[in-house]
Amino acid sequence: MAADLEAEVQAIDKSLLECSAEEIAVKWLQANDLQKEVYQHLAYYVPKIYCRGPNPAPQREDMLAQHILLGPMEWYLCGEDPAFGFPKLEQANKPSHLCGRVFKVGEPTYSCRDCAVDPTCVLCMECFLGSIHREHRYRMTTSGGGGFCDCGDTEAWKEGPYCQKHELNTSETAEEEDPLVHLPEDMVARAYNIFAIAFKYAVDILTWEKENELPGLEMIEKSDTYYCMLFNDEVHTYEQVIYTLQKAVNCTQKEAIGFATTVDRDGRRSVRYGDFQYCDQAKSVIVRNTSRQTKPLKVQVMHSSIVAHQSFGLKLLTWLGSVIGYSDGLRRILCQVGLQEGPDGENSSLVDKLMLYDSKLWKGARNVYHQLFMSSLLMDLKYKKLFAIRFARNYERLQSDFMKDDHDREFSIADLSIQIFTVPSLARMLITEENLMTTIIKTFMDHLRHRDIQGRFQFERYTALQAFKFRRVQSLILDLKYVLISKPTEWSDDLRHKFLEGFDAFLELLKCMQGMDPITRQVGQHIEMEPEWEAAFTLQMKLTLVISMMQDWCALDEKVLIEAYKKCLTVLMQCHSGFTDGEQPIVLSMCGHSVETIRYCVSQEKVSIHLPVSRLLAGLHVLLSKTEVAYKFPELLPLSELSPPMLIEHPLRCLVLCAQVHAGMWRRNGFSLVNQIYYYHNVKCRREMFDKDIVMLQTGVSMMDPNHFLMIMLSRFELYQIFSTPDYGKRFSTENTNKDVVQQNNTLIEEMLYLIIMIVGERFSPGIGQVNATDEIKREIIHQLSIRPMAHSELVKALPEDENRETGMESVIEEVACFKKPGLTGRGLYELKPECARNFNLYFYHFSRAEQSKAEEAQRKLKRQNREDTALPPPALPPFCPLFASLVNILQSDVMLCIMGTILQWAVEHNGYAWSESMLQRVLHLLGMALQEEKQHLENLSEENVVTFTFTQKISKPGEAPNNSPSILAMLETLQNAPHLEVHKDMIRWILKTFNTIKKLRESSSTSPVAETEGNIMEESSRDKDKAERKRKAEIARLRREKIMAQMSEMQRHFINENKELFQQTLEELDTSTSGVHENSPVISDAKLTALGPEQTRVAEHRQVVMCILCQEEQEVKVDSRAMVLAAFIQRSTVLSKNRNKIIPDPEKYDPLFMHPDLSCGTHTGSCGHIMHAHCWQRPVLWSLAWLLKCLVSNSALCVKTFGSSQRFRGCNFVVILVHLSFVVFDITAH
């Protein structure tokens, strides 16, 4: 039987080899119906060449196909031996300046980071090595297959579009020249004929769905031979397929692995050959074994003739792709044939048929015709445009087919969008003529139909199929990105109209995202099941770059920006009208200001982290400032219609949510919320989430009374009662025994202050502050390197990327950092330049808490090494743009001063309140920011300007009745000496120093007009102001002293009763002590002095005035004045000793005034030099403590020793004495 089969094959091979390609071609040339002749030839010979047994024989098939099937076509096309005809065509051809090399999987590709219009523009290795881009910054990647080299495409490169090889062709090729002129007319006619027949045959056979007949072909021999054809899918694993094949076709594991590998690579493979029943049996087993958990593997029983013709159809498409490479004229003819409409009208061209049948083809067939499209339609500029129009018109159906398909996108015709949409001229044309933007967005939304009652996307309880579909639909966002990646340089009316139409559709998409996945705080028990959150954040991350590019497009045209702003505001108002949730209006009053708002608690109501419409409006508002449209056309903008409380409401809720999560109030909501907060601040999302929320708050504050904003903020943070009610904080801390609640409130106050710092300080975005894009990047790098030196890769990961995957780091890194080369091991690191450290902001808004802690530690350590004080004051900030200029007034608003004063009061009376040092540190930072702001205002003051920022004057004023609280400045002076705030002393000292600097600046510019923002405007001389200030301070000191003395009377009385004997010794000590004051007399030369005689020199008596360190009273030193004393410290001294080894036998009885000749031990008397009234020294222990505190302020070690040696305090518990220090601080400082 086997011998007969072998003889039959040999006989067939011999008869096939006797065919003459030339004779067949001559026959075709003489035929009246060429298509019928060619089809008969193919119907007879294709089944005899292909699929002759269970296993394919590719070498034999290719040889026979070339000789019998393709050879006659080549003879017919050339009109002569193709061995001579094709070289002639190649020689006569004027080759294209486009390279067009189609990349294979894994082939290296190169993209120039300096010259590429977008990252999708790549070069093959040969073109790259021959181009100027090899000397530039470039990115090297490996191709996934399917793309082609962009060398020669002038729209793909800003500079150097040609390599050395293709540059030669530019002078010879005219852009609009028809390539058909280089072909003989008879060849053009023959090419049309054979290409039309071959292309139609291949398309018909590949898209044929019947199993027992052929399209337009007759089965010459109807044999009962079939194939069980197994198709690839992306659902089943290798192991499942191998196991199934072993059971279905009784093959070995090795054979099953071979089958599975071929199926995965080519898309299909015959696993059984025989009659229909034999093959159908295998199909049944495969379907049964793979349908239990997922959809079954696709299996078809196909007649061998159909399989044979499909195999040759693929061969024919490959042949067409190679033939057109000989001549651009042939390429043009094939494009015309492919795009020519058929008799059925729309979508009846061969190209349309293939595209629309794409999802039903197997992987190998798709790859073949995709490559043919790329080498023909995409290489001809004229027909590339026509193909792009066809692709855009069929876009919705192609994407719908892709959603139903299970193959990866790289094997879908939809993947050709990257080759079309990234061409700037084609993208503009498709937007204008085919409304492409709207089509893409609506197609995307059609596939996300799972919505809640309010029309928002809902991703909860997604089935596996819905999740799979969601992953595939994300590719449409990539297409939108490709369309927008190249920005227009010129705008037409049509482009404006269609872009705004697409912008409307985009707003509808964002509207469905506004407020999606709302969450409610879980109270009582922990949440049972973690909610779905990843889908929403995945969508947000995919859209981040698209949102940024939309804003970039709007910024390029003033008319578009104004219309886009209006549309976005309208949609935001629609969203707010649906979010009321029955919120009740309330009135908040504080510091003489009132504001009406709504009753809303983030910890009790629903809140969402997804607010893309609000954030888009914030971005557009910044663009109004950046492009100066807000100043040029204010009448065209609805700025007067804006409701600032409405604008800030939802971003503020989102930021309060983050603060409450940090305070531990949402622990029972599980890790899903923690993950959302993480990504909200993460570098991948923050540009269009966290950053824009800050911008929106800045926008709201700049348009409303800052006092109203702060009251609304206090209400949302649930801190309004603490700051609006006198002594509420003290009552709260004493009455509330729940430490968690106290700690939560402290954390919320810290977070609220941090938010205010960010609102005022984050002005490094162009349009908010008067900066440019490089300043923003520099600041990011400075703060990253403030944490620690970093490698290049670490820095890149920490910086946000734009649509071209660039961070902009390389352009500025040398200005702010030095590169430290690696040693033998390790890696190179960038270190921050010392002069850039002054730009460090401890509360930089992109720091995580861990990064902030590390940066603070590193910067303090650096200051200690440089022997500087460890204060980390806020850096000088750039001025705001005019649209945001009023934002700084939040620092000098009444409510802000009340908040800062309240927290400072807590720090002064730290035993009575629940507060934290982090809270105080943030207040000090805000004070520093305000002083820096005022200092900059004064330094930049011109004669025409009026200083409206008068922060120093406001912090110098005490509180009003009934509280009569001391001024912020007085409290700072008190805190400067507080022992429990040692770590903050340098910062307080810096604030006071800056205050004095500003005071001098004001004095020097006293002729300049100064406007008070609140209260009456009073003009008075500098001397009168100082006198009034002294009087005011004295009055405050008197009131405060009386209050403190009354509170401490019992403590003093108790202390004195226990130490009566010590106080009785005080008078004796004063009588025996001696002190003198050396007069600083003017020096007069001896030559001018006469001691006796009539010409005796009369020396003018020097008047000496000293101040008591305790009561602060000034007194002239006279004989009849009250006695002034100095404290002294007497100790043993061996400085001049001649016998240091001598031991004093009885030190208690040793007379220190007796001096032995060997000078073994002498006496040293020292004084700190601080003068005081004798009667002040005799006062109760409080005054002595005050003296000690003053001495501590002067940093005199001798003072401390003197204090310690005083008989008055011998035996006293030093801890008991220090208890009084906090009460004394106010009294002394105010005095």
Side-chain angles (χ1 to χ4, degrees):
M1 183 74 178
D4 294 339
L5 182 61
E6 185 177 356
E8 182 181 352
V9 170
Q10 289 178 353
I12 293 174
D13 285 347
K14 185 177 180 182
S15 63
L16 292 175
L17 291 174
E18 291 177 354
C19 290
S20 170
E22 182 181 3
E23 293 177 1
I24 297 171
V26 171
K27 181 181 177 182
W28 288 354
L29 285 169
Q30 297 172 353
N32 293 325
D33 189 348
L34 179 61
Q35 180 175 335
K36 183 178 179 181
E37 290 290 336
V38 173
Y39 272 34
Q40 287 179 349
H41 182 77
L42 297 179
Y44 180 79
Y45 284 105
V46 167
K48 295 182 177 297
I49 297 173
Y50 287 93
C51 304
R52 300 297 297 171
N55 296 314
Q59 292 182 346
R60 168 185 170 277
E61 291 170 355
D62 289 347
M63 181 191 69
L64 291 176
Q66 179 62 40
H67 179 68
I68 302 172
L69 304 176
L70 301 178
M73 294 183 184
E74 292 175 356
W75 272 89
Y76 177 86
L77 178 64
C78 297
E80 59 179 328
D81 189 344
F84 300 105
F86 286 142
K88 288 180 182 179
L89 281 175
E90 199 167 13
Q91 188 176 3
N93 183 45
K94 300 293 183 182
S96 170
H97 58 273
L98 298 173
C99 173
R101 175 187 173 90
V102 179
F103 296 120
K104 299 176 182 177
V105 177
E107 186 174 351
T109 62
Y110 300 83
S111 178
C112 181
R113 297 170 61 193
D114 296 325
C115 304
V117 171
D118 62 72
T120 65
C121 303
V122 292
L123 297 172
C124 63
M125 181 184 289
E126 184 180 359
C127 292
F128 174 74
L129 295 176
S131 71
I132 62 173
H133 306 298
R134 64 181 301 181
E135 305 298 332
H136 298 173
R137 298 180 307 135
Y138 63 88
R139 183 182 288 110
M140 179 182 173
T141 55
T142 55
S143 173
F148 61 85
C149 177
D150 291 303
C151 182
D153 186 352
T154 55
E155 290 193 87
W157 310 99
K158 302 171 188 174
E159 184 184 354
Y162 308 104
C163 67
Q164 295 173 355
K165 176 182 177 182
H166 297 103
E167 195 168 14
L168 301 174
N169 305 323
T170 57
S171 60
E172 303 171 6
T173 305
E175 192 69 28
E176 300 297 330
E177 185 181 15
D178 189 348
L180 295 181
V181 299
H182 301 292
L183 294 178
E185 291 185 7
D186 58 338
M187 176 173 278
V188 171
R190 293 196 301 271
Y192 269 115
N193 292 335
I194 198 65
F195 282 0
I197 294 170
F199 205 174
K200 184 178 184 304
Y201 163 81
V203 171
D204 288 346
I205 195 64
L206 291 175
T207 58
W208 192 249
E209 296 184 354
K210 296 181 180 179
E211 298 181 356
N212 293 318
E213 57 181 284
L214 295 171
L217 299 169
E218 296 181 5
M219 288 191 180
I220 306 300
E221 296 179 4
K222 180 67 174 178
S223 59
D224 187 24
T225 53
Y226 289 84
Y227 285 100
C228 180
M229 197 68 71
L230 176 64
F231 290 83
N232 176 61
D233 66 16
E234 303 298 331
V235 178
H236 297 86
T237 64
Y238 256 99
E239 289 73 16
Q240 287 175 321
V241 175
I242 292 169
Y243 173 76
T244 301
L245 287 175
Q246 284 180 278
K247 292 187 67 175
V249 297
N250 296 323
C251 62
T252 64
Q253 185 180 21
K254 185 177 180 181
E255 290 173 330
I257 292 173
F259 288 150
T261 303
T262 305
V263 168
D264 182 65
R265 184 187 68 239
D266 298 336
R268 74 175 189 179
R269 173 70 161 87
S270 62
V271 295
R272 176 167 284 185
Y273 175 75
D275 57 26
F276 181 84
Q277 185 177 359
Y278 184 55
C279 294
D280 192 59
Q281 182 184 2
K283 173 185 175 181
S284 301
V285 175
I286 294 172
V287 169
R288 185 171 61 251
N289 286 342
T290 57
S291 61
R292 293 171 184 171
Q293 297 178 346
T294 58
K295 69 174 185 177
L297 280 166
K298 182 181 177 182
V299 192
Q300 274 187 321
V301 177
M302 303 175 66
H303 195 275
S304 59
S305 295
I306 295 177
V307 177
H309 281 283
Q310 287 184 345
S311 300
F312 178 65
L314 293 181
K315 181 70 176 177
L316 199 53
L317 292 179
T318 305
W319 175 79
L320 287 172
S322 63
V323 165
I324 61 175
Y326 292 114
S327 169
D328 283 356
L330 295 179
R331 177 182 288 111
R332 174 64 61 87
I333 293 170
L334 184 63
C335 292
Q336 292 175 354
V337 168
L339 290 173
Q340 186 176 2
E341 290 286 358
D344 298 333
E346 188 179 3
N347 291 335
S348 61
S349 71
L350 297 175
V351 168
D352 288 326
K353 285 183 178 179
L354 271 179
M355 282 199 301
L356 298 176
Y357 200 79
D358 180 81
S359 62
K360 298 179 181 179
L361 292 175
W362 62 99
K363 191 186 296 184
R366 298 186 193 188
N367 287 337
V368 169
Y369 94 82
H370 292 173
Q371 291 194 11
L372 177 63
F373 282 8
M374 283 189 282
S375 61
S376 57
L377 296 166
L378 299 182
M379 288 291 291
D380 190 298
L381 297 180
K382 178 181 178 181
Y383 282 90
K384 186 175 186 178
K385 178 180 179 180
L386 296 175
F387 174 65
I389 294 172
R390 297 288 181 88
F391 187 87
R393 288 177 180 172
N394 289 313
Y395 184 83
E396 187 173 354
R397 181 172 170 185
L398 293 177
Q399 296 300 333
S400 179
D401 290 344
F402 172 65
M403 297 304 149
K404 299 171 186 175
D405 190 18
D406 64 354
H407 281 63
D408 293 337
R409 185 176 170 86
E410 62 192 77
F411 302 111
S412 171
I413 189 66
D415 195 45
L416 285 186
S417 61
I418 190 174
Q419 308 297 340
I420 301 170
F421 297 163
T422 54
V423 181
S425 59
L426 292 181
R428 309 278 186 282
M429 180 266 296
L430 293 175
I431 291 174
T432 305
E433 298 181 10
E434 301 299 328
N435 206 4
L436 181 62
M437 273 182 63
T438 306
T439 301
I440 294 175
I441 296 168
K442 287 188 175 179
T443 303
F444 178 79
M445 294 183 67
D446 286 343
H447 291 287
L448 291 179
R449 296 177 180 173
H450 205 55
R451 315 278 175 88
D452 63 10
I453 300 173
Q454 294 175 321
R456 299 174 296 202
F457 291 139
Q458 192 171 23
F459 298 104
E460 291 183 9
R461 296 181 295 277
Y462 249 29
T463 64
L465 180 60
Q466 287 173 319
F468 173 76
K469 186 177 179 181
F470 178 68
R471 287 194 297 271
R472 298 180 79 79
V473 80
Q474 293 168 27
S475 61
L476 276 74
I477 300 175
L478 278 179
D479 288 346
L480 188 57
K481 176 186 167 186
Y482 295 147
V483 173
L484 298 171
I485 202 166
S486 181
K487 294 148 187 85
T489 54
E490 296 180 1
W491 288 78
S492 65
D493 290 339
D494 287 341
L495 182 58
R496 286 191 188 94
H497 176 70
K498 292 298 183 182
F499 173 77
L500 288 171
E501 195 174 325
F503 189 79
D504 280 333
F506 189 65
L507 284 174
E508 284 299 314
L509 168 62
L510 298 186
K511 185 179 177 182
C512 294
M513 296 172 62
Q514 181 87 353
M516 67 179 175
D517 284 359
I519 50 177
T520 307
R521 183 182 174 211
Q522 192 76 11
V523 181
Q525 63 180 10
H526 196 280
I527 194 168
E528 294 182 3
M529 184 177 295
E530 294 279 351
E532 168 62 43
W533 64 272
E534 293 182 18
F537 259 91
T538 301
L539 181 58
Q540 175 66 48
M541 279 191 277
K542 296 289 185 183
L543 282 174
T544 294
L545 287 176
V546 175
I547 296 172
S548 297
M549 286 188 282
M550 281 284 190
Q551 295 173 47
D552 293 342
W553 273 59
C554 292
L556 296 173
D557 187 78
E558 295 172 347
K559 295 180 181 178
V560 170
L561 179 57
I562 292 170
E563 289 301 317
Y565 188 83
K566 291 178 180 177
K567 291 175 182 293
C568 190
L569 180 61
T570 302
V571 171
L572 182 61
M573 294 174 72
Q574 292 173 1
C575 292
H576 274 271
S577 65
F579 289 169
T580 54
D581 296 332
E583 296 153 348
Q584 298 296 321
I586 58 171
V587 177
L588 305 175
S589 298
M590 190 172 173
C591 302
H593 301 272
S594 297
V595 63
E596 186 174 339
T597 181
I598 55 173
R599 187 186 303 279
Y600 183 89
C601 290
V602 174
S603 60
Q604 299 175 11
E605 309 289 341
K606 288 184 177 181
V607 61
S608 173
I609 208 168
H610 299 284
L611 306 167
V613 179
S614 300
R615 291 158 186 161
L616 178 58
L617 183 67
L620 294 175
H621 191 82
V622 172
L623 291 178
L624 291 178
S625 172
K626 180 180 177 182
T627 60
E628 300 185 353
V629 170
Y631 321 126
K632 294 178 183 177
F633 312 104
E635 69 281 356
L636 299 178
L637 293 167
L639 297 179
S640 60
E641 301 174 13
L642 293 176
S643 170
M646 181 201 75
L647 296 181
I648 67 171
E649 183 62 37
H650 289 284
L652 181 57
R653 292 179 187 179
C654 187
L655 289 163
V656 171
L657 169 67
C658 296
Q660 291 184 352
V661 170
H662 180 59
M665 297 171 62
W666 292 69
R667 288 196 188 99
R668 292 184 174 88
N669 285 72
F671 284 106
S672 63
L673 181 56
V674 175
N675 292 330
Q676 289 184 66
I677 301 299
Y678 169 78
Y679 279 105
Y680 173 74
H681 291 95
N682 187 266
V683 67
K684 293 181 179 179
C685 299
R686 70 185 181 209
R687 174 178 286 183
E688 294 301 332
M689 294 190 80
F690 171 64
D691 292 5
K692 287 296 189 294
D693 283 345
I694 299 295
V695 172
M696 184 54 92
L697 293 188
Q698 291 175 318
T699 302
V701 177
S702 66
M703 293 189 292
M704 64 189 298
D705 186 333
N707 294 291
H708 295 171
F709 169 77
L710 288 170
M711 284 190 282
I712 293 172
M713 176 185 280
L714 286 170
S715 175
R716 296 297 171 266
F717 272 92
E718 300 173 31
L719 301 171
Y720 176 72
Q721 286 291 333
I722 292 178
F723 288 98
S724 64
T725 308
D727 290 334
Y728 181 87
K730 190 170 186 177
R731 295 203 313 271
F732 178 82
S733 61
T734 55
E735 296 172 4
N736 201 319
T737 57
N738 190 336
K739 292 183 178 179
D740 286 342
V741 176
V742 175
Q743 181 60 43
Q744 285 171 4
N745 274 282
N746 284 353
T747 304
L748 289 177
I749 295 172
E750 293 168 12
E751 292 297 311
M752 183 190 69
L753 294 171
Y754 187 18
L755 179 56
I756 297 172
I757 292 172
M758 289 188 287
I759 290 171
V760 180
E762 295 309 324
R763 54 182 83 170
F764 279 82
S765 296
I768 298 175
Q770 296 178 25
V771 295
N772 54 41
T774 57
D775 294 328
E776 189 176 7
I777 299 168
K778 283 181 191 175
R779 186 164 182 258
E780 291 279 352
I781 296 173
I782 286 171
H783 285 86
Q784 288 299 324
L785 295 180
S786 296
I787 303 170
R788 66 177 187 281
M790 289 187 177
H792 184 277
S793 57
E794 286 182 289
L795 266 180
V796 169
K797 288 178 182 177
L799 298 174
E801 293 182 343
D802 61 12
E803 64 272 14
N804 292 325
R805 292 185 291 175
E806 293 290 342
T807 61
M809 186 186 82
E810 287 86 354
S811 61
V812 299
I813 187 67
E814 293 182 358
E815 297 180 40
V816 297
C818 301
F819 184 70
K820 186 177 180 181
K821 294 183 179 179
L824 296 176
T825 58
R827 52 184 178 170
L829 298 174
Y830 283 108
E831 292 183 347
L832 187 66
K833 289 183 176 180
E835 62 268 23
C836 294
R838 67 176 183 272
N839 297 316
F840 173 73
N841 180 6
L842 177 60
Y843 294 101
F844 177 59
Y845 73 146
H846 287 161
F847 275 158
S848 65
R849 281 165 183 81
E851 288 172 340
Q852 184 188 37
S853 177
K854 290 177 184 176
E856 181 180 8
E857 183 180 352
Q859 293 306 304
R860 291 192 189 277
K861 182 179 178 182
L862 187 63
K863 282 181 171 284
R864 285 193 291 268
Q865 290 174 352
N866 296 335
R867 298 184 178 179
E868 301 173 3
D869 63 58
T870 57
L872 296 173
L877 298 172
F880 278 111
C881 291
L883 200 61
F884 292 88
S886 62
L887 202 151
V888 295
N889 290 326
I890 192 175
L891 291 172
Q892 62 172 355
S893 63
D894 293 340
V895 177
M896 187 73 248
L897 293 170
C898 174
I899 292 171
M900 292 192 290
T902 302
I903 294 172
L904 288 174
Q905 184 81 18
W906 295 348
V908 170
E909 302 178 13
H910 62 281
N911 290 331
Y913 296 90
W915 65 286
S916 67
E917 287 195 28
S918 296
M919 200 187 296
L920 175 64
Q921 189 177 17
R922 285 161 168 77
V923 169
L924 295 177
H925 194 88
L926 281 165
L927 289 168
M929 291 175 71
L931 292 173
Q932 288 275 39
E933 197 71 39
E934 184 169 355
K935 184 180 176 184
Q936 286 179 294
H937 279 218
L938 290 170
E939 288 173 345
N940 300 327
L941 183 65
S942 63
E943 294 183 1
E944 303 84 30
N945 292 340
V946 175
V947 179
T948 58
F949 199 82
T950 56
F951 183 74
T952 51
Q953 294 181 11
K954 294 187 176 184
I955 64 172
S956 302
K957 296 178 181 178
E960 298 178 356
N963 296 333
N964 291 327
S965 60
S967 68
I968 289 176
L969 183 62
M971 287 189 281
L972 285 172
E973 290 173 344
T974 303
L975 291 173
Q976 184 183 10
N977 306 311
H980 62 284
L981 298 176
E982 189 69 32
V983 71
H984 302 298
K985 283 186 177 179
D986 286 341
M987 185 63 188
I988 298 173
R989 199 174 293 122
W990 179 88
I991 291 173
L992 295 174
K993 181 180 177 182
T994 307
F995 176 86
N996 291 327
T997 303
I998 294 172
K999 190 175 180 182
K1000 291 177 183 177
L1001 279 173
R1002 282 200 176 278
E1003 290 171 355
S1004 64
S1005 61
S1006 58
T1007 56
S1008 302
V1010 179
E1012 290 279 349
T1013 55
E1014 298 170 13
N1016 299 323
I1017 300 177
M1018 302 177 61
E1019 295 190 7
E1020 54 182 357
S1021 65
S1022 177
R1023 183 179 301 173
D1024 292 339
K1025 286 184 178 180
D1026 291 341
K1027 189 181 292 184
E1029 183 69 14
R1030 283 199 301 272
K1031 185 177 180 181
R1032 184 185 60 78
K1033 283 188 176 181
E1035 182 64 19
I1036 292 173
R1038 185 183 66 79
L1039 294 171
R1040 187 64 183 164
R1041 185 164 60 249
E1042 289 177 359
K1043 184 178 179 181
I1044 293 175
M1045 292 299 292
Q1047 291 174 347
M1048 295 185 60
S1049 59
E1050 186 63 32
M1051 295 175 63
Q1052 292 174 359
R1053 192 160 42 252
H1054 178 71
F1055 184 84
I1056 292 171
N1057 290 336
E1058 287 188 350
N1059 297 277
K1060 284 184 179 180
E1061 295 181 1
L1062 297 178
F1063 282 102
Q1064 290 173 359
Q1065 295 173 9
T1066 303
L1067 184 60
E1068 298 173 6
E1069 291 177 6
L1070 288 173
D1071 292 338
T1072 57
S1073 64
T1074 59
S1075 63
V1077 177
H1078 298 282
E1079 297 182 1
N1080 296 321
S1081 304
V1083 178
I1084 303 175
S1085 174
D1086 293 340
K1088 297 180 181 180
L1089 293 176
T1090 304
L1092 299 170
E1095 308 219 356
Q1096 178 183 6
T1097 305
R1098 291 183 179 274
V1099 180
E1101 191 173 319
H1102 178 65
R1103 182 172 177 270
Q1104 184 180 9
V1105 179
V1106 294
M1107 179 184 287
C1108 176
I1109 193 175
L1110 296 179
C1111 68
Q1112 300 290 294
E1113 182 180 336
E1114 293 183 346
Q1115 176 182 310
E1116 186 177 355
V1117 179
K1118 291 183 179 180
V1119 176
D1120 57 348
S1121 299
R1122 287 181 295 177
M1124 306 288 288
V1125 299
L1126 294 92
F1129 176 58
I1130 302 174
Q1131 61 182 335
R1132 295 170 184 167
S1133 174
T1134 58
V1135 175
L1136 302 175
S1137 176
K1138 295 181 180 179
N1139 184 11
R1140 297 177 185 273
N1141 297 325
K1142 184 176 180 179
I1143 301 174
I1144 299 173
D1146 192 356
E1148 293 294 329
K1149 296 181 179 180
Y1150 181 74
D1151 187 358
L1153 299 179
F1154 171 76
M1155 185 65 65
H1156 194 275
D1158 62 5
L1159 302 176
S1160 59
C1161 183
T1163 303
H1164 176 268
T1165 302
S1167 174
C1168 60
H1170 291 131
I1171 302 171
M1172 60 195 128
H1173 290 112
H1175 70 274
C1176 287
W1177 172 246
Q1178 289 175 313
R1179 286 189 180 183
V1181 66
L1182 180 63
W1183 290 108
S1184 299
L1185 287 171
W1187 166 63
L1188 170 63
L1189 193 58
K1190 278 288 185 181
C1191 293
L1192 289 173
V1193 172
S1194 67
N1195 293 324
S1196 173
L1198 189 59
C1199 294
V1200 181
K1201 290 181 179 179
T1202 305
F1203 167 80
S1205 68
S1206 174
Q1207 289 289 335
R1208 178 173 301 176
F1209 295 106
R1210 281 182 188 163
C1212 287
N1213 189 337
F1214 195 70
V1215 176
V1216 174
I1217 296 171
L1218 289 179
V1219 169
H1220 302 275
L1221 288 181
S1222 62
F1223 297 97
V1224 179
V1225 172
F1226 261 118
D1227 186 35
I1228 302 283
T1229 308
H1231 204 1

